[in-house]
Amino acid sequence: MEEYRRELEVHCYRMLGSVHEAEDLVQETYLKAWRARDAFDGRSSVRTWLYRIATNACLDALKARPRRALPVDLGPGEPAHWLEPIPDAVLDAAGPEAAAVAREGVELAFLAALQHLPPRQRAVLILRDVLDWSAAETATLLEMTVPAVNSALQRAKTRVPAAAGPATAAEHEVARRYADAFQRADIPAMVRLLAKDARASMPPWRIWYQGKDAIEASLWEGRPGLGEVRVRCTGANRMPAVVAHVRPEGALEWQPFAVSVLWIAGGLITDMIAFHDPALVARFEDVPT
């Protein structure tokens, strides 16, 4: 069963929007599978059986948890429960059989939209459109009828945009140029890479900036005080990302700063989210093998 661990983590991540919670739910899935191993009768594959256990574990978990969101998607007064990015290295570690499964359906905007769906409707969309399960297989897993699955899928599609494909080499090059300018504290060069109506946000802070001028003002206010900056370009959710560490003036040790995920269109950055979370930065440094 161990060969399915990574793809189950990606599946639970899509359902929950949290890498940490996904890992916990997969551990729970394997524990439940071990305890119920004598009941497995072979009428489905081991993979299907594990997906059934994992999906139901996610549905149970979602009953008691608020939705995860990005700052631009957070309603007034809504508790901040942040959607988390996932390293591309984790997606790549899903193995060759699951490569297609992990290639799409992980873009942050797609996952943020999923969070607005009722949990069972969310599961239907992931199983049918992302994992390409048949209506009959999905109905069996979720203990629904085929017409109910088809109806749930149609309702979900009206609320969720199509998942985007992986970023191109040209988009990663724009991210590299932005990271280089950020490391050199070259704010004019950073601003030149922004679209006029670009957005920027910085979880866990709820504030976000709309427009190139507003982002430029925030950069002039915040970037000079960071001290030395060390960056590494990587990928998150099949999108360009930048991992940054800082060493403030007078400090001896480098400190984790942020993981920034970039949306790029037409050679310009249209949206960027800098996740300021030391544990998240560490996750992007400590990738699985």
Side-chain angles (χ1 to χ4, degrees):
M1 297 192 295
E2 189 63 24
E3 64 180 294
Y4 303 110
R5 179 178 293 275
R6 288 301 179 196
E7 64 175 289
L8 288 171
E9 286 180 2
V10 176
H11 175 59
C12 292
Y13 169 70
R14 289 190 181 100
M15 288 287 295
L16 302 169
S18 165
V19 182
H20 175 73
E21 290 184 2
E23 291 173 347
D24 288 346
L25 264 292
V26 171
Q27 281 296 107
E28 181 179 326
T29 294
Y30 274 75
L31 181 60
K32 289 181 176 180
W34 174 255
R35 289 172 174 168
R37 64 192 184 281
D38 292 338
F40 178 64
D41 55 14
R43 285 185 292 180
S44 65
S45 67
V46 170
R47 181 173 182 263
T48 299
W49 182 57
L50 290 172
Y51 265 92
R52 180 181 297 115
I53 298 171
T55 302
N56 286 323
C58 289
L59 292 173
D60 288 341
L62 287 169
K63 292 177 183 177
R65 302 183 191 184
R67 77 178 181 95
R68 290 186 173 269
L70 300 173
V72 297
D73 193 38
L74 202 61
E78 183 178 358
H81 202 59
W82 302 114
L83 189 65
E84 298 174 357
I86 187 171
D88 278 1
V90 173
L91 302 176
D92 294 336
E97 184 179 344
V101 171
R103 187 173 298 119
E104 298 181 354
V106 290
E107 198 258 353
L108 280 175
F110 175 75
L111 295 176
L114 281 181
Q115 298 293 306
H116 289 279
L117 297 179
R120 190 165 291 270
Q121 203 174 101
R122 189 184 311 179
V124 168
L125 181 64
I126 292 170
L127 291 168
R128 292 283 285 117
D129 264 24
V130 179
L131 300 181
D132 202 28
W133 286 35
S134 70
E137 290 172 320
T138 303
T140 299
L141 186 148
L142 295 174
E143 298 182 348
M144 300 169 64
T145 65
V146 169
V149 165
N150 290 334
S151 176
L153 179 61
Q154 291 306 311
R155 292 197 302 274
K157 282 185 173 181
T158 64
R159 301 178 62 185
V160 176
T168 64
E171 290 169 347
H172 279 285
E173 173 59 20
V174 172
R176 187 201 64 76
R177 290 163 56 199
Y178 183 84
D180 177 66
F182 180 66
Q183 180 163 293
R184 294 184 288 105
D186 188 346
I187 294 176
M190 296 169 68
V191 172
R192 285 194 294 271
L193 292 170
L194 299 176
K196 183 178 180 180
D197 58 349
R199 298 186 306 188
S201 54
M202 301 174 294
W205 297 286
R206 299 172 70 102
I207 190 171
W208 54 283
Y209 301 92
Q210 177 74 56
K212 186 174 184 177
D213 292 343
I215 297 173
E216 181 178 7
S218 73
L219 289 172
W220 281 112
E221 180 181 357
R223 172 59 186 89
L226 293 178
E228 291 184 78
V229 174
R230 182 176 63 190
V231 301
R232 182 175 66 84
C233 292
T234 184
N237 298 75
R238 301 303 184 196
M239 303 166 65
V242 178
V243 179
H245 290 75
V246 298
R247 186 162 62 184
E249 186 176 352
L252 298 177
E253 302 293 332
W254 288 95
Q255 303 169 8
F257 181 65
V259 175
S260 298
V261 183
L262 308 180
W263 282 254
I264 297 169
L268 295 173
I269 298 169
T270 60
D271 204 339
M272 54 184 173
I273 304 178
F275 295 86
H276 291 264
D277 181 349
L280 190 59
V281 174
R283 186 178 294 276
F284 274 79
E285 296 296 333
D286 184 22
V287 297
T289 58

